[in-house]
Amino acid sequence: MLALLDINNAYVSMERVFRPSLNGRPVVVLSNNDGCAVARSDEARALGIKMGQPFFQFRHLEEDAGLVALSANFGLYGDMSDRFMSLAAGLGAEQEVYSIDETFISLDGVRGDLVARSRRVRARVLQWLGLPCSVGIGPTKTLAKLANHVAKSAERKPGSYPAEHAQVCHLGRLSPAGLDELLSATPVGEIWGVGPRIGEQLRASGITTASQLAKLDANTVRLNWSVVLERTVRELQGTPCISFEDEPAPRQQIASTRSFGAPVRELEPLIQAISEFATRAAEKLRRQRTHAGRVMIFIRTSPFRKRDAQYSRFMVVPLRRPCADTADIVSSAILGLKAIFKPGFNFAKAGVMLMDLQPDTGGQMELSLEDDQPARHRGRLMRAVDDVNDRFGKGTLRIGSAKPRQAPQGSWETKLERRTPAYTTEWAAMLQVRC
DNA sequence: TCTGGGGTCCTAGGACCC
DNA sequence: TCTGGGGTCCTAGGACCC
């Protein structure tokens, strides 16, 4: 058996911990640039705000309905997530951290009443962290996900499922008929792995519920759709096809991309932006002890500005040898940028991706024909830079082509006009309690 | 006026090899 | 005149996830 624990309305709930006055009010958390909704409270959902909806379309609700819209504060969310994960780990022996607000727990070997145990963990998360979460239990990941959906809906949408499943739902202890009853009440689009496209195709074939999908023949599904959907069907039938990952698989690529706060037309600010993105990506690369073989950079205009001339190009630049060196990666990225830049466009977004990742140990030995700084010296330099930046703040030491620290805010930089304080990761932002 | 960021996996088709 | 079969690797595009 597997459990899936998931924080309800994660980002909004995390903000509410530090601002209880937000309880009961419609609240959304916005993506970078205050672009669109990435988390909604139940009250915001009730106002009709959709996941991913652009902010400008519902901005009027601030005035009309008391909506509170906040800029994303990922420093806060990451820290709260760490605390949640360590409490959730108490539910079973093994943990897979699936995303910032979700974790699978293997219940193999756990004795006793799983539902009662889950309720205790849930209560602890609520009392210690102030975060509401839901627990779904099932024999496969897809069924645990579905159970989690049932647990959430039963609590928040009375009538959608029997109330006994609220907060914690254990599919493993239902009779086949009882399980099918829940699957029949679940729209096919709610199933993990069924997105908008496949959902549309399934509905067009008359398959509208999880129960109907689970009753299809898996081999037929592979022929008519794909092996991906076949796995989903088998998982719904109780056969595990998606394995439990005890430790995270090494990343295959690392990206740092941003939409700009305002359109950018010149090369110089693009160089600044790309330098910054490449620096961030190289830092991530070193943190996970890998080297990259190639650097990809892209720039593009906004597809939403229909009247603008459109331009979108990318270029892959091989590194002379795999490395995690900020200077090498930045200069390769700028080389690529200069090759694809064309004046006369309103650029809206750019990014750097690092590819062909490999462990930073056991690299190929190189016969150095030119008098290049040996790689190990560059490695020590990068460690020193990381140490300084960890201790004195991000960007204390930076590459020359990036924006000087004291320079005025560049137009390309992200807009975060509604950012909340970093309550748990900055001394100055810590809340004070008067007794 | 204003529309996020960071990932994964699968498939089809082409180039190339013996 | 008649020109195979089996395999790998790479890339682009599509679908999905949170």
Side-chain angles (χ1 to χ4, degrees):
Chain A
M1 280 297 157
L2 282 172
L4 176 71
L5 289 83
D6 178 318
I7 303 171
N8 300 351
N9 308 333
Y11 299 161
V12 168
S13 297
M14 291 170 178
E15 296 283 356
R16 280 175 164 172
V17 171
F18 297 91
R19 273 174 71 184
S21 63
L22 296 177
N23 287 321
R25 297 187 61 179
V27 181
V28 295
V29 171
L30 301 169
S31 64
N32 269 337
N33 270 323
D34 298 340
C36 47
V38 292
R40 308 161 293 163
S41 71
D42 291 346
E43 298 82 3
R45 221 172 283 215
L47 289 176
I49 299 169
K50 300 280 177 262
M51 193 65 175
Q53 189 177 359
F55 182 37
F56 70 87
Q57 290 178 0
F58 60 86
R59 186 171 215 147
H60 62 94
L61 293 174
E62 288 184 301
E63 297 252 312
D64 300 351
L67 174 70
V68 178
L70 303 171
S71 299
N73 186 342
F74 289 108
L76 175 67
Y77 309 151
D79 187 62
M80 293 297 281
S81 172
D82 290 345
R83 300 170 192 226
F84 167 72
M85 293 303 167
S86 56
L87 288 187
L91 183 57
E94 289 184 292
Q95 177 171 38
E96 174 184 340
V97 175
Y98 179 69
S99 74
I100 194 164
D101 69 335
E102 279 176 66
T103 176
F104 288 104
I105 305 285
S106 166
L107 298 174
D108 290 348
V110 177
R111 293 163 185 275
D113 183 342
L114 293 179
V115 171
R117 189 182 171 90
S118 299
R119 289 199 185 280
R120 282 198 297 275
V121 170
R122 186 187 179 281
R124 188 179 300 160
V125 171
L126 189 59
Q127 188 182 357
W128 292 14
L129 301 182
L131 296 175
C133 69
S134 305
V135 186
I137 302 174
T140 66
K141 281 186 168 178
T142 303
L143 284 170
K145 275 280 214 180
L146 196 141
N148 187 284
H149 166 75
V150 173
K152 274 195 168 61
S153 303
E155 178 180 10
R156 300 190 293 181
K157 278 190 260 168
S160 58
Y161 296 98
E164 67 195 271
H165 299 303
Q167 299 177 351
V168 176
C169 174
H170 183 0
L171 298 184
R173 65 176 191 182
L174 296 179
S175 67
L179 175 60
D180 190 57
E181 207 171 302
L182 290 188
L183 295 186
S184 299
T186 305
V188 76
E190 296 292 345
I191 299 168
W192 192 44
V194 177
R197 294 292 166 84
I198 304 297
E200 189 56 43
Q201 292 171 25
L202 287 170
R203 282 187 292 274
S205 314
I207 297 154
T208 60
T209 69
S211 166
Q212 287 173 297
L213 185 60
K215 285 172 184 149
L216 292 184
D217 172 60
N219 291 310
T220 310
V221 170
R222 182 175 51 213
L223 288 177
N224 292 343
W225 279 277
S226 66
V227 294
V228 183
L229 193 63
E230 179 200 4
R231 275 201 290 262
T232 299
V233 168
R234 290 190 192 277
E235 285 241 325
L236 284 175
Q237 294 167 349
T239 307
C241 300
I242 305 170
S243 57
F244 184 85
E245 307 288 345
D246 204 355
E247 53 190 71
R251 291 262 161 280
Q252 299 180 20
Q253 61 175 47
I254 287 174
S256 177
T257 70
R258 288 286 175 283
S259 294
F260 300 137
V264 172
R265 298 182 62 82
E266 311 298 328
L267 179 59
E268 186 51 36
L270 284 177
I271 290 177
Q272 278 187 15
I274 288 292
S275 301
E276 192 111 346
F277 302 158
T279 301
R280 294 292 310 280
E283 284 168 0
K284 290 188 205 172
L285 195 61
R286 294 195 291 273
R287 213 170 300 138
Q288 60 173 54
R289 312 194 63 78
T290 45
H291 284 171
R294 297 188 296 170
V295 181
M296 191 267 252
I297 97 116
F298 72 87
I299 49 175
R300 55 167 249 219
T301 52
S302 169
F304 299 109
R305 294 170 65 116
K306 301 272 189 246
R307 287 194 301 273
D308 276 13
Q310 297 291 313
Y311 182 82
S312 172
R313 289 287 183 284
F314 73 91
M315 177 168 275
V316 177
V317 183
L319 290 161
R320 196 166 54 81
R321 59 161 176 259
C323 74
D325 188 284
T326 296
D328 285 352
I329 289 170
V330 168
S331 56
S332 297
I334 292 176
L335 202 70
L337 170 65
K338 286 179 173 166
I340 59 178
F341 174 77
K342 273 213 319 210
F345 294 95
N346 289 320
F347 289 103
K349 185 172 181 174
V352 172
M353 295 195 207
L354 302 179
M355 310 187 309
D356 296 353
L357 305 192
Q358 49 190 264
D360 66 1
T361 52
Q364 191 172 344
M365 297 296 286
E366 184 181 9
L367 175 61
S368 185
L369 298 179
E370 53 212 283
D371 186 20
D372 188 35
Q373 278 191 68
R376 66 176 185 282
H377 289 172
R378 301 294 288 266
R380 286 169 57 194
L381 174 62
M382 286 300 115
R383 271 197 294 284
V385 168
D386 290 339
D387 287 348
V388 168
N389 286 339
D390 281 349
R391 180 159 170 197
F392 296 103
K394 202 187 286 180
T396 303
L397 283 179
R398 54 175 62 212
I399 204 89
S401 54
K403 188 183 77 101
R405 208 179 190 185
Q406 308 300 336
Q409 163 114 3
S411 65
W412 59 273
E413 289 177 89
T414 306
K415 274 189 299 192
L416 292 166
E417 288 163 359
R418 299 140 184 279
R419 168 65 68 74
T420 55
Y423 302 103
T424 63
T425 52
E426 275 180 28
W427 290 111
M430 194 176 293
L431 290 180
Q432 294 179 10
V433 179
R434 278 190 296 271
C435 300

